[in-house]
Amino acid sequence: MERTGAALIDIDGVLTVSWEPLPGAVEAMERLRAEGIPLALVTNTTSRTRARIAERLAGAGFPVGPDDILTAPAVTAAHLRAHHPGARCLLINDGDVRGDLSGVTLVEEEDAEGAAPDVVVLGGAGGAFTYAALNRAFRLLQQGAPLVAMHRNLYWRTAGGYDLDTGAFLLGLERAARTEAVVTGKPARAFFAAALAHLGADPGRTLMVGDDIDTDVLAAQRHGITGVLVRTGKYRPETQAAADGTPDHVVDSFADVPVLLEGLGR
C-alpha cells in the first residue's frame, strides 16, 4: 500500500456501542485530526440523521461535524433521485431520517386516485418492522414495486447484546416476493465511491476501519481500499474464521489505528 492519504471509519461498534464511546476512540480520532489525515465516518446507521449523529458524537468528545459523516439514508436519497425521480416511496425504518432524504417523496397511504406507493424502501429494523408493515411491503412487491434497502446487515451490537437487523427480514421479503433488492449502503460499490469522492481520496491510499468483516472490510478491499478489522462491536472470531476473505489488518480496537498508520509509513 502507498502512504495512507485518507481513512473511512465505521461508527457503531468501532467508535461507539449504543452511542457510548469505546475506550481510546476519542483520543485516536483526535490524533488522526492532529496528523491531518482526511477522514469520513461511513455508517449504515438509519436511526439518526447526519446532523444528529454529529451532534451526539461531538457531545461525546469526537472532533467531527455533519460534513464528516456519510450515511446509508443520504446515499439512498441520491439513488432514489437518480433512478426513481418523482417516485412515491413507502419507507419502513426505525428512526427519523427524513432530514437526509431530501428530494424524496415519502408516503404512507395511496394517493387521491388510489394509486399505491411506487417504491418500497427498507431502512433499519426495529419496532417499525411489524407484521403489518412487512406484509404491506410484500404485497406492493408482488404488484411490481421495486425494493430498495439501505443495507442488509443481519444484526448489530448494542449495550444489551446482539439485535436482529434489516437483513434478517430482507432475505424473507426477497424470497417470498421473488425479487432482489437494490442495496445502497455498505457494501455497495456506490457507497464506497461516494465516500472516496467526498474526500477526493484514492482507494489505494485509503483505509476502511470496521467491525463487520463482510460489509465493512472485505467489501472495501474489493474496491481497492485497505481493510482494517477491529475486534470490537459485532466482531466475533467465528465470523472472521468463516469469512470468504482475509482482512489486510486486524487490530484490537480503533485506539490502535494511529499506531497502525505509523507502521504503514504515514
Side-chain angles (χ1 to χ4, degrees):
M1 177 183 172
E2 303 174 36
R3 292 184 67 199
T4 302
L8 307 179
I9 306 163
D10 186 27
I11 298 175
D12 192 26
V14 176
L15 301 179
T16 65
V17 168
S18 294
W19 298 103
E20 292 300 318
L22 287 166
V26 171
E27 293 78 8
M29 178 77 71
E30 291 174 337
R31 185 168 170 183
L32 296 186
R33 287 295 200 196
E35 295 178 358
I37 298 176
L39 56 87
L41 308 188
V42 291
T43 177
N44 280 347
T45 296
T46 55
S47 60
R48 300 168 184 254
T49 61
R50 294 166 62 240
R52 287 192 61 207
I53 291 171
E55 180 181 10
R56 183 64 184 261
L57 292 177
F62 289 100
V64 298
D67 289 342
D68 298 314
I69 299 170
L70 183 66
T71 65
V75 176
T76 300
H79 172 84
L80 292 171
R81 291 192 300 266
H83 297 278
H84 302 284
R88 302 169 66 253
C89 300
L90 173 68
L91 172 65
I92 305 176
N93 180 60
D94 198 54
D96 185 4
V97 292
R98 292 172 183 265
D100 280 352
L101 295 174
S102 60
V104 177
T105 301
L106 300 177
V107 298
E108 297 182 0
E109 305 295 340
E110 288 73 16
D111 64 16
E113 286 73 37
D118 303 305
V119 181
V120 174
V121 181
L122 295 188
F129 276 52
T130 64
Y131 176 83
L134 292 171
N135 197 51
R136 185 181 183 205
F138 169 59
R139 290 181 175 180
L140 290 171
L141 297 177
Q142 286 183 305
Q143 296 166 17
L147 176 60
V148 175
M150 295 186 187
H151 61 78
R152 58 167 70 248
N153 295 353
L154 293 171
Y155 57 89
W156 81 97
R157 177 72 179 268
T158 72
Y162 296 103
D163 285 356
L164 281 176
D165 209 344
T166 302
F169 304 93
L170 179 58
L171 288 168
L173 278 177
E174 288 178 317
R175 184 169 180 180
R178 297 184 179 180
T179 189
E180 184 174 351
V182 172
V183 178
T184 51
K186 296 176 294 181
R189 176 178 293 274
F191 189 96
F192 287 104
L196 292 170
H198 178 71
L199 293 177
D202 178 81
R205 300 183 61 242
T206 303
L207 293 181
M208 171 68 216
V209 185
D211 65 326
D212 188 314
I213 188 170
D214 295 310
T215 299
D216 293 332
V217 179
L218 299 182
Q221 291 177 192
R222 285 193 291 271
H223 305 316
I225 300 167
T226 298
V228 180
L229 179 65
V230 294
R231 297 189 184 97
T232 56
K234 67 167 61 174
Y235 172 84
R236 293 193 294 180
E238 59 268 33
T239 303
Q240 181 183 354
D244 61 1
T246 303
D248 292 312
H249 304 279
V250 182
V251 296
D252 285 336
S253 73
F254 183 70
D256 300 314
V257 170
V259 175
L260 173 64
L261 286 173
E262 286 185 359
L264 293 175
R266 171 65 187 175

